[in-house]
Structure formats: C-alpha cells, structure tokens
Amino acid sequence: MSHGVGEPIIQAEGLVKHFGKVQALNGVSLSVEPGTVLGVLGPNGAGKTTTVRILCTLLRPDAGNAHIAGIDVIKDPDAVREVIGLSGQYAAVDEQLTGRENLDMFGRLYHMKKARARARAEELLDRFNLTDAADRPAKTYSGGMRRRLDLAASLVVSPRVIFLDEPTTGLDPRSRNGMWDVIRDLVDEGATLLLTTQYLEEADALADNIIIIDHGRVIAEGTADALKSQVGGERMVVAVKERDRLKELAGIAAAVGVGEPEIDEEAHAVTVAVSDGARSLVELVRRLDADHIEPSDLALRRPTLDEVFLSLTGRKT
C-alpha cells in the first residue's frame, strides 16, 4: 500500500496486548498526520510504552494492526525500521563508548559508508551541543547530555517518523526546555513525532494533537484546546491577603461559580469553574465589595491539562 497525500503516516487500529493475565492494551487506536506531533499522555502503566514498542516493531500485538508510512509493522518490520527513529527510556547508547563512537556505530549499523557515518556523527554532535564532550565515554555524561546523545543516535538516518518515549523524564527544567527546542526543530524540518509523556505541560507545549490513555484504552483525544473545553468553561482564580477570610471567599466563589471551589491554603486563593467568565467576574467583585473583602489577585484562565486529566480519570497524573 503506497502512502498517499493526506493519509496518516502513523496508524494503529484496535491494538490489544496481554502480558500473562495483565491486559496492557485494550483496543488502542490512533492516527498521526505527516509533519505533526501526537502527544500520548497517561499515568505510569497506562500502556503508553507498550503502544510505542508495538509501533516500533519491538513487540507483536495480540490483536489489531498498525502501519507506519503505509508499511505493515507486523508483516514487514524491517521496512518499518528503515523509516523510524526511537529514543527514550530504552536508551540504546553504549556507556563505555564515547559520544562520537556511539554515533559512528549507529551509522555503521545502518550500513552507511565509513566517511558518511563519521560526517553524520560530527553533524549531530554539533547540533546537540555535544562536540566538547564527543570524546568522553557516555557514562560520564549528565542526564540531559545522555538524553541528547540518545536522541542524536535515533536521528543518524534522518528518519521520517520519530518515537520519543518520555524524552524528558527526570531532567531539570533547563535541560527539559533544551529538549523541547530540539523537538520543535525536528518538526520544523518536516519530521512526524509521536511523543509519550507524563508531563501535561509538555504535551501542551509540543503536541498538535493529544490522546490520553488510561488502563490500556484511549479515553480522550483532541487538540489541547478541545480537551480543555471538554472540562467546561474557564476558571476564576481569586486570592486574598488575609488567610482567615478564605472560607468566606470560598463561599462567595461557590455562589458565583459552578461546582465545588478549590481552596489553596498556601496561596490564600480559591479557584472555581465559571460558565460565563466576564459576567461572573463582575458579580464576584460586587459581592466581595459588599463584604469588604479586598482581593490581592483576580484572574480568569482556561482549564489546564492537569484538570482535564483529573476530570477524565478521577485522579491526578
């Protein structure tokens, strides 16, 4: 089957996988358009990594099918491996080799000519700011450097489709932002990415489309904005200087908003969902004024993906 224009470049239908009595996947379907990023969100053990491993030909599903660039992952795994790159928890980097040797080795594994493999290694070391550390063994690298080397290794053959399995787990914020920049560059160059993550803000920052997996099933999908609007309306956040007026504030917020307000003791703030943002805000101010409560902060905001996840699964990530 040829890969036509407008067809998804990654497509999976009804993937099922058992490990003994544990059902890891229970009918996962997804599709990704060329040149976009799909964020796959879910708690630990939800089935994200199992899905990636099937799509990357590392695991056979018990049922269902999947195609990458029109190639069947079960029938023709070798051809699939030629168009994909995988980076993430299953770092394939050799600890004992230097950064340069690692990248060179990957080039040779992909049957590149010696000179080409070497040149590609140099390009990638430069691109990922690893030139200074190129001749040190990978075991001396920091977490962030190690991730960059792992990602560089998956890009040796300039794959059309890249799978990033929790690429920033355990990184400090600066390293994480650095990885985000690299990921954005890859997409600008036309790659298609499937990114699994437990960080909701990561999916929000990088993904064109998001699916949420829980207990081996897809429980929601859409753009970040569409998912947020599923949770209903905006949130009104109001803070006061005096902590002893929080209870009163929550009472007023409850009268103006929809549902239970959330109280943040530390920030002296109350958050409540509202159905009519601006009007609710005006009404809140009127009531605070009548009760001589002076807000130190007042804002309207969209729901976060954290709140989406909580409302869909009944728990925090």
Side-chain angles (χ1 to χ4, degrees), residues 20-21 50 53 90 101 109 120 131 140 155 160 201 214 221 228 239 241 256 266 276 278-279 313:
K21 289 193 172 146
T50 305
R53 295 182 76 181
Y90 300 93
E101 287 165 345
L109 283 176
R120 184 67 180 143
T131 308
T140 67
L155 300 178
R160 291 166 59 191
E201 79 272 21
D214 195 33
E221 61 184 294
K228 288 172 186 175
K241 288 198 178 74
V256 173
E266 263 175 45
D276 180 353
R279 194 168 292 167
T313 62

Side-chain angles (χ1 to χ4, degrees), residues 174-315:
R174 191 165 151 252
S175 303
R176 189 182 299 172
N177 286 332
M179 275 300 261
W180 287 6
D181 289 339
V182 168
I183 290 167
R184 288 188 183 103
D185 287 345
L186 293 173
V187 180
D188 289 343
E189 287 160 22
T192 303
L193 264 62
L194 186 150
L195 167 87
T196 72
T197 180
Q198 292 181 51
Y199 300 119
L200 294 153
E201 79 272 21
E202 183 155 88
D204 211 352
L206 299 172
D208 299 292
N209 231 348
I210 292 170
I211 65 171
I212 299 179
I213 294 186
D214 195 33
H215 297 307
R217 323 175 140 254
V218 176
I219 58 167
E221 61 184 294
T223 62
D225 282 347
L227 289 173
K228 288 172 186 175
S229 63
Q230 271 186 34
V231 185
E234 294 169 302
R235 300 290 186 270
M236 188 161 59
V237 188
V238 56
V240 284
K241 288 198 178 74
E242 312 92 347
R243 170 179 259 164
D244 56 1
R245 305 209 70 173
L246 262 179
K247 265 226 156 68
E248 250 178 295
L249 179 62
I252 295 171
V256 173
V258 196
E260 273 298 293
E262 263 179 62
I263 299 174
D264 180 341
E265 298 272 351
E266 263 175 45
H268 299 190
V270 172
T271 303
V272 70
V274 289
S275 54
D276 180 353
R279 194 168 292 167
S280 307
L281 209 53
V282 171
E283 176 62 14
L284 180 85
V285 170
R286 202 181 59 72
R287 291 185 181 216
L288 291 176
D289 204 38
D291 283 5
H292 306 290
I293 298 175
E294 197 179 319
S296 57
D297 199 10
L298 190 55
L300 270 181
R301 64 166 177 76
R302 302 283 315 276
T304 63
L305 273 174
D306 274 298
E307 287 161 336
V308 173
F309 192 85
L310 188 61
S311 77
L312 288 168
T313 62
R315 60 179 194 275

Side-chain angles (χ1 to χ4, degrees), residues 50-61:
T50 305
T51 302
V52 168
R53 295 182 76 181
I54 289 172
L55 294 172
C56 291
T57 75
L58 298 175
L59 204 57
R60 285 179 76 91

